[in-house]
Amino acid sequence: MAKIAEIAWLAGILEGEGSFINACRGSPRVSLSMTDEDVVNMAVAIAGGKYVGTRRFTNHYKTQFILQICGHRAAALMMTIYPFMGMRRKAKIKEILTQWKQSLYRRQIAPSIFCGHIERKHYAKNMCQSCYRNEKRRNLQKSLSIAA
């Protein structure tokens, strides 16, 4: 779990160097592209996401290191860093999350069953293993109490 200071640091980096967009079909995306590899690696360690790699336009430019976070993980990150962002970024994040909540894409990718443990590997039905097992136990107890 990230500390508040780390989240505030990440928000500052994304405020200056990041981008917040609606990708295809209303899926939110957070991107960070910069020439400082150590900073991008620290952002990956805090936020997770996918370290996309590098990009070099021509020989006289520095190599860019790129981080991307997509889908419900990007939405969770946007909600987490929202209090630390400036007015313009807050408005953009609010716009993206509003569109995401209304989009068909969100309903197909992230069904109503979602545990919210974004730091854990998802096991089934968009839940981590422990939440999935707890949900399975609750459903079994419900079916046994109805049958009795």
Side-chain angles (χ1 to χ4, degrees):
M1 188 63 71
K3 298 175 185 172
I4 293 176
E6 293 173 332
I7 293 169
W9 177 86
L10 181 63
I13 291 294
L14 291 173
E15 176 78 41
E17 300 291 330
S19 63
F20 303 89
I21 61 169
N22 261 333
C24 62
R25 292 180 267 168
S27 176
R29 180 184 298 164
V30 177
S31 297
L32 174 66
S33 178
M34 44 187 331
T35 59
D36 299 321
E37 184 177 16
D38 60 325
V39 176
V40 175
N41 286 333
M42 185 179 276
V44 169
I46 295 169
K50 184 178 179 185
Y51 181 66
V52 176
T54 62
R55 174 175 52 191
R56 190 176 193 128
F57 293 105
T58 60
N59 289 336
H60 65 281
Y61 287 117
K62 290 182 180 178
T63 302
Q64 289 186 353
F65 301 93
I66 304 162
L67 160 70
Q68 283 189 352
I69 303 168
C70 301
H72 66 276
R73 290 177 189 261
L77 178 62
M78 288 180 193
M79 289 182 239
T80 303
I81 64 173
Y82 184 83
F84 300 103
M85 303 308 280
M87 298 283 288
R88 188 173 61 90
R89 296 290 190 170
K90 279 185 178 181
K92 184 65 175 176
I93 289 171
K94 190 173 185 179
E95 173 191 327
I96 290 169
L97 292 177
T98 301
Q99 291 174 0
W100 175 68
K101 287 177 184 177
Q102 297 169 350
S103 74
L104 176 63
Y105 181 75
R106 178 183 163 266
R107 283 183 238 123
Q108 291 172 351
I109 299 300
S112 60
I113 300 173
F114 176 64
C115 71
H117 295 122
I118 61 170
E119 71 280 357
R120 297 181 187 172
K121 183 178 178 187
H122 285 200
Y123 182 71
K125 293 188 179 180
N126 229 4
M127 292 187 269
C128 65
Q129 189 171 10
S130 61
C131 289
Y132 177 75
R133 286 183 177 163
N134 289 337
E135 181 71 19
K136 206 170 170 183
R137 279 189 210 111
R138 279 192 295 268
N139 289 339
L140 180 62
Q141 288 172 351
K142 282 182 190 177
S143 65
L144 291 176
S145 66
I146 291 172

